[in-house]
Amino acid sequence: MVRQWRDGPGSPVVPWFDPDDAGTAARVLILMESPAPATAEMGAAAFCSLDNADRSNRTMRLVMTEVGLARSACVKWNVVPWVLPTRAPTVADIDAARPMLIAVLAQLPALEIVVTVGRPALHGLTRALWAGELPGLYRLVSTPHPSQRTALAAIAAADRLRATLTRVTEHIATTEG
């Protein structure tokens, strides 16, 4: 799927899915905004990964570890899967990327929960819902993006992320089996 998106002149560099995530067996989709600029610097070797060295992924990875949310239950993706170096995704970006989001969701038959991280991710998912394009019905939880501009906002965002992922972890634990 990613290879198809990358083919052709002028196609954006869309990072690969992380093979350390759950892949098509994911029960949880962590839907973020767009890849960090450092991801684009990796070019063809770029992965949409919690292991990427930017602050947002580092925070997500630390909180997931803290609350016990296993990567083996999750897959990470971005509502706009190509890099937007200097800005947050616009409605036009989100709409242009929506077919990719729908294709990703269609490949996740075990998906139960979508965690939208940041307003653009929430906006993108709800626009797909309103358009009647979602291939399933999921529990939706939303949390602020962890890369807030001020220290106090970053602390509050991390606290809300922790509370959100704790609830997701509890749900996964109670429905396993």
Side-chain angles (χ1 to χ4, degrees):
M1 190 165 55
V2 172
R3 188 177 325 277
Q4 290 173 347
W5 295 333
R6 287 178 163 211
D7 285 347
S11 294
V13 175
V14 175
W16 302 105
F17 287 91
D18 189 332
D20 290 335
D21 287 351
T24 58
R27 296 174 64 196
V28 178
L29 170 62
I30 298 170
L31 186 64
M32 296 182 80
E33 294 181 6
S34 65
T39 302
E41 294 171 8
M42 295 182 216
F47 282 87
C48 182
S49 175
L50 292 165
D51 294 327
N52 290 347
D54 60 276
R55 186 172 74 183
S56 297
N57 283 304
R58 193 170 37 253
T59 300
M60 182 66 69
R61 191 173 58 248
L62 289 171
V63 172
M64 285 176 65
T65 299
E66 180 184 316
V67 303
L69 181 57
R71 283 179 71 171
S72 61
C74 303
V75 67
K76 179 185 177 259
W77 193 243
N78 291 291
V79 71
V80 176
W82 55 83
V83 174
L84 302 167
T86 59
R87 61 181 171 79
T90 64
V91 171
D93 297 322
I94 289 167
D95 286 346
R98 190 164 63 227
M100 295 174 174
L101 175 60
I102 301 307
V104 168
L105 290 167
Q107 296 300 313
L108 302 174
L111 186 63
E112 298 171 38
I113 301 172
V114 178
V115 179
T116 59
V117 183
R119 285 187 187 130
L122 176 61
H123 193 71
L125 190 71
T126 54
R127 286 179 71 81
L129 173 67
W130 295 334
E133 298 173 338
L134 294 182
L137 188 60
Y138 319 102
R139 290 177 185 254
L140 169 64
V141 290
S142 183
T143 186
H145 199 279
S147 67
Q148 302 296 313
R149 296 188 189 275
T150 67
L152 288 176
I155 291 168
D159 287 345
R160 289 174 65 188
L161 176 63
R162 187 174 296 103
T164 298
L165 295 185
T166 296
R167 297 287 308 269
V168 169
T169 304
E170 290 167 354
H171 171 79
I172 294 297
T174 60
T175 59
E176 282 188 42

